[in-house]
Amino acid sequence: MSERTTRVKGGRALSGPGDGHAVPAPSPATQGLLPDEPLAELAARHGLTLSSARPGPGVYLRQLWQRRHFVLAFATARNIAMYSEARLGQVWQILTPLLNAAVYFLIFGVILDTRRGVPNFIAFLVTGIFIFNFTQRSFIIASRVINDTRELIRALHFPRACLPLGYIVIELQQMLISMVVLIVIVLATGEPITWYWLMVLPAIALQTLFNVGVGFILARIGAGVEDVSQLIPFIVRTWMYASGVMFFIPALSTLYLHAKLSYLMQINPAAVYIALVRNSLLTSLRHTVAGYRPYNRQLCAAGLHQQAHGVLHPALLNSCHLVVGNSSLWLYGVGWAIAAIVIGYLFFWQAEVTYGRG
Amino acid sequence: MAAADPLVVVDDLNIVYRVFGSRADRGTAATAFLRILRRQHRPSVREVHAIRGVSFVANRGDAVGVIGRNGSGKSTLLRAIAGLLPPESGAVYTTGHASLLGVNAALLDDLTGERNVVVCGLAMGMTPREVKERYQGIVDFSGVGDFINLPMNAYSTGMGSRLRFAIASARSHDVLLIDEALVTGDAEFRVKSRQRIEELRAQAGTVFIVAHSMAQIEETCNRVIWLEKGKIVQAGDDVPGIIDAYLAATGGQPLNRGNAKN
């Protein structure tokens, strides 16, 4: 030990101060800080590990848990910074969802009138917008998070998954503020308070898991290909129109004879989480759905045929609505959330050491 | 100093950057569109071989200065040691994590200094209680005073780097990498930071310093690595000797050792 020590310390074959004025050519002999044994063995003997090594998924999860305070502090700090330039400051957290709801109500409630088959359209629409907005904003922000925080990544060591998590925590905070606005609107439009309301909490918890999972995936893709974060807003907007944010999918008459398409639309994750919250909050919607008969293509076709000839037959048309039941929705909600979080976590973790490079 | 206890082992390290959009691309929408029409890929990915086969061992308690001309790979080497750049070949072995402190690395620019202290402290793995305990010490050390309540983008360059140094050095690191951090500080802060680096070394860590000021390297470091075009020209414990050789090779003025306390 001591012999090796002196060799390492002594710095063999160094140019002395006297002969240093010529430019020395690089040669192994001038690399004075090297011991004789292979470096990999030396490192292993002293318990050193590769600096760019990635911890296992379990260890990574534990590291992530250790930084939970960082995730929360980071989220709070970002949230404050986000509105610090605006004169109204934090008031925008409430104003933004309200204005959103107003714009969509003007377009879809008044101008286009997509309220077909929905008893309490304002509450229905606002629920859809707020729930979808949570997913939408989570996705957009997650796809940018690595590039936005590159300086922090390059400066400090911490599990990078903290960053998408922190950004989605911000969106969750924003979402919970929106929920307060939503509750006020729901009550103001005459819906009663029921025990069903409590089901909103697990629904949002599942949605948050789903957002985090897909957010991880988008964060990794967005870190590598910046074009993705430019594309995401368009993809998400298309998705919004397919998820029944401003209409009730079972009541969409173009889908009356396309049961499979209607089913697929209803089990897509955004539609599932929106439907779960709506079914929990809106008693009027639950009552409407209860009035529908089980879907029957023949009866529905007959009803539509009569309708085309000017005869309205509500009993037949009531068989047109393919409604995915609440228990199936919960199963899909849990399934989407677990699939997203597991795949997303592993996918993000795989590229842990590459973030912030370049 | 205690028996040699390697904390950083760099084994035949090669780092290659891939740079996009090097030439023949003015970066306008029209040229990008033409490129797609002609079915060309991203304009000529150029490879920059920034570190070429560097090997050395740094021990517990060392302060290693890294010197060299601009573009010789000094900062790249530090980032590789910090684990922020995956090596093309070769390896960097360290204990736990190395923390890189760059003078240009903004932390969270639009947040107040106060929040930066808290958030970065937590990011480095301190508990909320530790952050609370050390908060005042960090602020006092940085000397930014009342500016701590202002967003960091209102800071002068020197203030920003002082606060960053204060945050990063608040915790004892196994390996601390400092990239030009002290150059912008005023004379008083340089004295303080030198003391802090000595403390960190005493707390059994290794400190790497990249700086253009040879006097600073000589004051602070007990070993030095001279890089040229990604290769080591000289490395060793004879700090004044290597610095003299470097200054002679680059045509710089020899150091006036009358001032340097050595």
Side-chain angles (χ1 to χ4, degrees):
Chain A
M1 183 77 190
S2 68
E3 193 202 2
R4 193 188 52 80
T5 301
T6 41
R7 220 180 300 132
V8 175
K9 281 276 150 199
R12 62 202 160 101
L14 288 179
S15 340
D19 56 60
H21 288 278
V23 185
S27 72
T30 57
Q31 305 207 346
L33 302 177
L34 287 177
D36 282 337
E37 67 179 308
L39 291 173
E41 284 172 24
L42 175 77
R45 200 153 49 75
H46 287 271
L48 305 183
T49 49
L50 280 174
S51 70
S52 56
R54 159 181 57 140
V59 177
Y60 190 64
L61 196 62
R62 209 168 330 128
Q63 289 179 351
L64 210 50
W65 174 246
Q66 280 164 358
R67 302 296 165 101
R68 62 193 182 280
H69 299 291
F70 165 60
V71 173
L72 291 180
F74 176 70
T76 315
R78 285 258 63 112
N79 212 1
I80 289 170
M82 210 182 294
Y83 296 102
S84 61
E85 306 254 305
R87 198 169 281 237
L88 289 176
Q90 303 293 310
V91 179
W92 280 107
Q93 290 200 310
I94 297 175
L95 272 184
T96 312
L98 272 181
L99 288 176
N100 252 327
V103 168
Y104 281 97
F105 181 69
L106 179 70
I107 296 173
F108 294 99
V110 178
I111 300 177
L112 294 176
D113 195 18
T114 56
R115 67 177 71 212
R116 240 159 310 177
V118 182
N120 181 358
F121 188 69
I122 298 182
F124 176 92
L125 177 71
V126 174
T127 314
I129 292 166
F130 286 2
I131 297 293
F132 191 83
N133 217 15
F134 177 31
T135 294
Q136 178 177 34
R137 291 181 50 127
S138 300
F139 284 9
I140 292 175
I141 210 155
S143 69
R144 295 187 183 144
V145 63
I146 300 293
N147 289 323
D148 281 0
T149 54
R150 193 179 284 148
E151 298 300 340
L152 192 64
I153 291 177
R154 287 181 182 174
L156 300 171
H157 248 294
F158 55 89
R160 307 311 186 201
C162 290
L163 297 169
L165 265 180
Y167 271 48
I168 289 171
V169 166
I170 300 175
E171 294 307 324
L172 181 64
Q173 288 171 349
Q174 177 80 55
M175 163 75 183
L176 294 177
I177 293 171
S178 302
M179 283 314 282
V180 175
V181 175
L182 176 64
I183 297 284
V184 172
I185 293 177
V186 167
L187 283 175
T189 53
E191 300 284 343
I193 302 178
T194 66
W195 289 110
Y196 278 104
W197 280 26
L198 288 181
M199 298 306 278
V200 170
L201 296 174
I204 290 180
L206 287 175
Q207 192 197 4
T208 309
L209 277 183
F210 173 78
N211 289 355
V212 170
V214 180
F216 277 147
I217 296 174
L218 294 175
R220 174 171 168 188
I221 297 175
V225 196
E226 251 180 84
D227 310 51
V228 173
S229 42
Q230 300 289 336
L231 257 180
I232 297 257
F234 299 99
I235 297 170
V236 174
R237 209 176 307 157
T238 315
W239 186 23
M240 176 169 77
Y241 291 108
S243 302
V245 171
M246 55 289 281
F247 54 85
F248 187 41
I249 300 174
L252 208 61
S253 56
T254 39
L255 291 176
Y256 277 178
L257 298 177
H258 300 88
K260 274 184 190 149
L261 188 58
S262 174
Y263 187 78
L264 283 179
M265 278 173 77
Q266 289 183 63
I267 64 161
N268 101 58
V272 167
Y273 297 120
I274 291 172
L276 285 177
V277 175
R278 276 176 183 161
N279 293 348
S280 310
L281 281 182
L282 307 176
T283 310
S284 60
L285 188 69
R286 281 201 307 274
H287 286 169
T288 314
V289 172
Y292 292 149
R293 301 263 180 88
Y295 182 77
N296 185 314
R297 199 168 192 280
Q298 272 84 38
L299 293 181
C300 176
L304 286 176
H305 184 74
Q306 295 198 350
Q307 191 187 30
H309 290 82
V311 190
L312 260 184
H313 213 306
L316 291 178
L317 281 177
N318 263 353
S319 307
C320 287
H321 307 287
L322 179 94
V323 180
V324 178
N326 220 21
S327 39
S328 312
L329 284 177
W330 280 107
L331 285 179
Y332 278 115
V334 171
W336 284 121
I338 292 177
I341 196 77
V342 170
I343 296 171
Y345 174 74
L346 292 175
F347 186 70
F348 187 88
W349 158 81
Q350 265 189 332
E352 170 74 4
V353 294
T354 66
Y355 301 123
R357 138 175 227 198
Chain B
M1 224 176 287
D5 179 7
L7 274 187
V8 176
V9 174
V10 175
D11 184 7
D12 194 23
L13 181 71
N14 282 277
I15 300 277
V16 176
Y17 281 109
R18 289 190 176 74
V19 186
F20 296 106
S22 47
R23 64 190 147 81
D25 187 54
R26 287 192 191 82
T28 63
T31 52
F33 189 63
L34 275 178
R35 209 171 62 227
I36 295 167
L37 282 185
R38 291 183 193 136
R39 292 172 172 264
Q40 287 170 347
H41 285 290
R42 289 287 288 275
S44 52
V45 178
R46 245 183 68 195
E47 294 197 342
V48 179
H49 205 148
I51 297 286
R52 305 156 182 262
V54 166
S55 302
F56 62 87
V57 174
N59 296 319
R60 195 174 282 276
D62 276 346
V64 183
V66 183
I67 58 176
R69 283 180 243 249
N70 284 332
S72 57
K74 305 185 295 291
S75 300
T76 307
L77 180 63
L78 289 205
R79 289 175 55 196
I81 296 171
L84 299 172
L85 280 175
E88 187 77 9
S89 69
V92 178
Y93 303 92
T94 57
T95 59
H97 286 311
S99 296
L100 177 65
L101 174 68
V103 68
N104 294 319
L107 297 177
L108 299 157
D109 237 6
D110 46 355
L111 299 182
T112 61
E114 183 185 351
R115 288 217 172 256
N116 267 289
V117 173
V118 173
V119 171
C120 295
L122 292 171
M124 291 191 301
M126 292 188 203
T127 63
R129 176 180 294 178
E130 277 177 297
V131 172
K132 208 174 267 177
E133 283 168 5
R134 296 186 194 178
Y135 175 80
Q136 203 51 48
I138 294 172
V139 176
D140 291 346
F141 183 81
S142 71
V144 297
D146 291 342
F147 273 78
I148 198 73
N149 294 318
L150 292 180
M152 276 189 77
N153 48 27
Y155 287 23
S156 72
T157 320
M159 277 202 249
S161 63
R162 263 151 48 191
L163 184 59
R164 277 190 287 275
F165 179 78
I167 294 172
S169 62
R171 193 180 149 239
S172 62
H173 299 276
D174 282 343
V175 180
L176 182 63
L177 310 158
I178 301 170
D179 194 350
E180 305 269 1
L182 313 179
V183 183
T184 42
D186 50 30
E188 185 200 347
F189 187 73
R190 278 173 59 174
V191 173
K192 280 206 290 186
S193 57
R194 209 172 60 231
Q195 285 167 357
R196 180 62 68 89
I197 290 174
E198 287 301 325
E199 282 170 31
L200 289 172
R201 278 176 62 187
Q203 283 164 21
T206 300
V207 182
F208 282 81
I209 298 166
V210 162
H212 285 293
S213 153
M214 290 306 125
Q216 190 194 331
I217 296 271
E218 196 169 313
E219 280 171 32
T220 328
C221 301
N222 67 322
R223 337 185 99 182
V224 68
I225 293 172
W226 169 11
L227 285 179
E228 195 72 68
K229 289 179 181 161
K231 289 181 181 165
I232 291 184
V233 181
Q234 284 191 33
D237 296 343
D238 177 21
V239 178
I242 295 176
I243 284 178
D244 283 346
Y246 168 71
L247 287 175
T250 53
Q253 290 294 315
L255 275 189
N256 175 8
R257 295 240 153 69
N259 298 338
K261 76 164 202 187
N262 205 1

